[in-house]
Amino acid sequence: MNMKKLVFIALLSLAMAPAMAQHGGHNCGNCPHHKQHQQAAACCDQQKQQPKTINGMAAEIVQAFPEAKSVKKETKWTVVLDANKKVVGYAVYSKPASDGIKGYNGETPLMVALDANQKVKCVILLPNNETPAYLQRVADAGLLKAWDGMKASKACKKKVDTVSGATFSSRSIIQTLQAALKNI
């Protein structure tokens, strides 16, 4: 092998070393790790292209408030109404308050459902680019339920531990929730 080829191969190896090390020394695109990222990316791309709505309301609002028949958007939240136009709760979206808070692969936007008394009914993770396996750890650990039943004013101040094995994702979710509820 001539010297030019040897130098080229050495430089190429040095340039690719960080990426190869990050993926266990390979970058085949066909292993379970890479397939998982490809599936997650495709799923997220689909969700971004087609916002999910049911009866003209965001699917996450219908999920949190099955009795919802209409919504009214206000500055700090979306008011959720039943068939009699009675307030059944509020949907608080983390964006734009959480802009810049990042997990492992980007932002972790949330919708926080508050009941009519402004207590957390549930926290719903919206489409994102986090690794599905890490988000499964977060869900299995019950992180999204850590604030259930708390007044919004107390929930945003609650100290919550990150989930081992999903530290970046869980830290992002915690900080995103705090940012979303900070001005409620």
Side-chain angles (χ1 to χ4, degrees):
M1 198 178 288
N2 69 32
M3 186 57 87
K4 283 184 179 179
K5 283 185 180 178
L6 189 58
V7 169
F8 176 76
I9 292 171
L11 289 173
L12 185 61
S13 297
L14 284 173
M16 293 188 65
M20 298 296 275
Q22 180 181 2
H23 295 291
H26 71 281
N27 192 8
C28 64
N30 291 321
C31 69
H33 171 79
H34 290 103
K35 285 182 181 179
Q36 185 178 37
H37 280 289
Q38 290 166 352
Q39 290 168 349
C43 178
C44 289
D45 288 343
Q46 267 184 334
Q47 290 174 343
K48 288 175 188 170
Q49 291 170 1
Q50 302 171 0
K52 293 184 179 180
T53 59
I54 300 170
N55 297 329
M57 292 182 289
E60 63 271 9
I61 290 178
V62 176
Q63 177 185 346
F65 302 98
E67 68 278 24
K69 295 297 177 197
S70 63
V71 295
K72 183 172 78 171
K73 293 186 180 186
E74 294 186 357
T75 306
K76 62 182 181 177
W77 52 34
T78 300
V79 180
V80 182
L81 307 163
D82 67 9
N84 297 319
K85 302 289 182 197
K86 180 182 173 199
V87 174
V88 293
Y90 307 90
V92 179
Y93 287 88
S94 62
K95 303 278 270 154
S98 65
D99 286 353
I101 299 172
K102 301 213 184 292
Y104 188 75
N105 284 323
E107 296 180 350
T108 53
L110 301 172
M111 189 278 288
V112 182
L114 304 174
D115 66 17
N117 297 315
Q118 297 181 21
K119 289 184 178 180
V120 176
K121 184 173 180 172
C122 66
V123 176
I124 297 175
L125 186 61
L126 300 175
N128 60 76
N129 292 321
E130 293 297 279
T131 305
Y134 294 139
L135 293 179
Q136 188 61 53
R137 285 184 182 182
V138 167
D140 291 346
L143 179 67
L144 297 174
K145 296 178 185 221
W147 302 275
D148 287 3
M150 298 183 76
K151 280 282 215 184
S153 57
K154 296 225 187 266
C156 72
K157 296 174 187 169
K158 181 179 180 181
K159 299 287 183 207
V160 179
D161 291 333
T162 58
V163 176
S164 179
T167 306
F168 291 108
S169 300
S170 57
R171 182 180 301 134
S172 177
I173 289 168
I174 293 165
Q175 291 174 351
T176 296
L177 180 125
Q178 290 168 342
L181 296 181
K182 184 177 181 183
N183 295 316
I184 298 296

